[in-house]
Amino acid sequence: MIELKDLSYVRLGASNLEEAGSFATKCLGLQVGEQSGKALYLRSDDRAHTLCYFEGDPTDQTVGFEVEDESKLNAAAATLDQLGHPVHAGTPTECALRKVKAFIGFKDPTGNQIELAVRPERSGKRYFASRDAGITGFSHVGLSTTNPARDEQFWTQVCNARVSDRIGDIALMRVNAIHHTIALAPGRSPGIHHVNHQVESNDDVLRSYYHLSGQRVPIVFGPGRHPTSGARFLYFKGPDGMVFEYSVGVDEIEDEATHRPRQFGFEPSSLCMWGSRSAGVLPPNS
Ligand SMILES: O=C/C=C/C(C(=O)O)=C(/O)C(=O)O
Ligand SMILES: [Fe+2]
């Protein structure tokens, strides 16, 4: 079984790198860690980067997860290979571009580009953003799925993710104590559905609601509260249509051994207990 330790980074192609950088710093509230050539490395915590925008095709999107060490990485490569997922071992240049010691790349059954990495670089400089969005860290991703049951099986049976809750057949899965690190979202093609950062307080969610509205950033869901994780949230659209989420108060699963996933109905109140409706971002609201 592959053991995912944590989410490590997302890599997003940007049709206009300058615009993406401006959104990331002035709207989202990330800090530029490094700008090199055609890539912009953005920080949200003590890591050297958690988001990399690179000049390129916006449908070129990758999620990186951290695994324990190189022996676990090699074992993961063998497992994936055996299951028929072609695996690419990162070259030294590709590792340098990701600021990791080693990584492998493969596709999940939907075709999402996934990487497993070891030793992602950290920085002695604390994360200090120019816009105070109250970000406390990079927390989860929504991944598109063309077949929720098949993909849940892949993530749980091959990658040791555990289902915390389901909305209809849609699984919210954890890889550590945090309620979810991977949320499957039904879609017609592979890709990242949304990128979540945690913020410090309810005030931060609402402050951002007004700030982003003032910047004419499209708010696509919220402010609201997910009955699943209990988090208060705000979803908004960034460059090339990527959806970002702020949330606060995501539950932790207290007892790994006894937790049983709750089943929520496939209906709008399962997405927001305050009554907010999403503008086409999450079914069944869409
Ligand atoms: O609509 C369901 C969303 C659930 C949550 C949550 O429980 O926090 C998410 O953040 C998510 O799926 O992204
Ligand atoms: Fe989310």
Side-chain angles (χ1 to χ4, degrees):
M1 186 86 92
I2 299 170
E3 282 235 356
L4 309 175
K5 289 281 158 211
D6 199 359
L7 197 53
S8 193
Y9 53 77
V10 288
R11 295 175 55 77
L12 301 177
S15 57
N16 183 326
L17 192 58
E18 203 181 312
E19 261 177 43
S22 165
F23 169 85
T25 51
K26 297 198 180 94
C27 298
L28 187 55
L30 301 184
Q31 177 191 14
V32 174
E34 188 185 318
Q35 166 126 43
S36 62
K38 296 183 172 165
L40 185 62
Y41 293 87
L42 294 146
R43 304 181 64 213
S44 59
D45 56 26
D46 65 343
R47 289 175 281 193
H49 87 296
T50 51
L51 167 61
C52 175
Y53 269 122
F54 58 90
E55 211 174 280
D57 179 354
T59 63
D60 189 352
Q61 305 169 349
T62 301
V63 180
F65 294 92
E66 187 176 353
V67 295
E68 186 74 34
D69 54 32
E70 282 188 73
S71 78
K72 294 269 170 50
L73 188 68
N74 294 337
T79 301
L80 290 162
D81 193 54
Q82 243 173 25
L83 292 170
H85 295 261
V87 173
H88 167 74
T91 63
T93 309
E94 289 169 333
C95 290
L97 284 174
R98 287 155 181 76
K99 303 182 182 296
V100 298
K101 171 75 176 152
F103 80 92
I104 58 171
F106 66 98
K107 288 186 177 167
D108 78 356
T110 281
N112 292 304
Q113 299 191 128
I114 309 296
E115 292 178 356
L116 305 181
V118 291
R119 291 165 55 183
E121 194 178 301
R122 290 183 183 265
S123 169
K125 289 190 197 145
R126 73 178 162 184
Y127 156 66
F128 184 77
S130 54
R131 160 168 135 69
D132 177 18
I135 288 177
T136 54
F138 174 43
S139 188
H140 69 253
V141 288
L143 272 184
S144 188
T145 174
T146 54
N147 182 334
R150 177 201 60 201
D151 290 355
E152 176 185 318
Q153 189 168 4
F154 172 79
W155 287 103
T156 55
Q157 304 304 303
V158 180
C159 299
N160 198 31
R162 281 87 66 200
V163 178
S164 292
D165 284 319
R166 288 189 190 85
I167 301 170
D169 289 330
I170 308 307
L172 302 175
M173 296 174 290
R174 66 187 183 282
V175 301
N176 47 38
I178 298 165
H179 181 273
H180 59 284
T181 296
I182 305 162
L184 294 177
R188 283 195 207 95
S189 48
I192 297 176
H193 176 269
H194 71 275
V195 175
N196 173 286
H197 292 89
Q198 292 295 298
V199 294
E200 205 172 290
S201 67
N202 290 346
D203 287 342
D204 291 315
V205 171
L206 292 170
R207 252 194 296 267
S208 280
Y209 170 69
Y210 289 108
H211 176 83
L212 296 174
S213 301
Q215 303 283 309
R216 301 198 184 291
V217 172
I219 306 292
V220 290
F221 194 14
R225 183 167 190 189
H226 291 308
T228 35
S229 66
R232 277 72 71 194
F233 65 81
L234 183 73
Y235 291 71
F236 49 97
K237 245 183 205 171
D240 299 306
M242 178 54 68
V243 173
F244 290 87
E245 176 189 15
Y246 291 136
S247 66
V248 58
V250 153
D251 279 345
E252 294 209 356
I253 300 301
E254 278 171 23
D255 190 345
E256 184 61 47
T258 59
H259 179 78
R260 293 200 37 182
R262 293 166 302 172
Q263 177 66 54
F264 287 83
F266 194 61
E267 59 195 13
S269 63
S270 300
L271 306 188
C272 178
M273 58 202 285
W274 292 347
S276 166
R277 300 291 288 254
S278 87
V281 228
L282 280 166
N285 274 344
S286 45

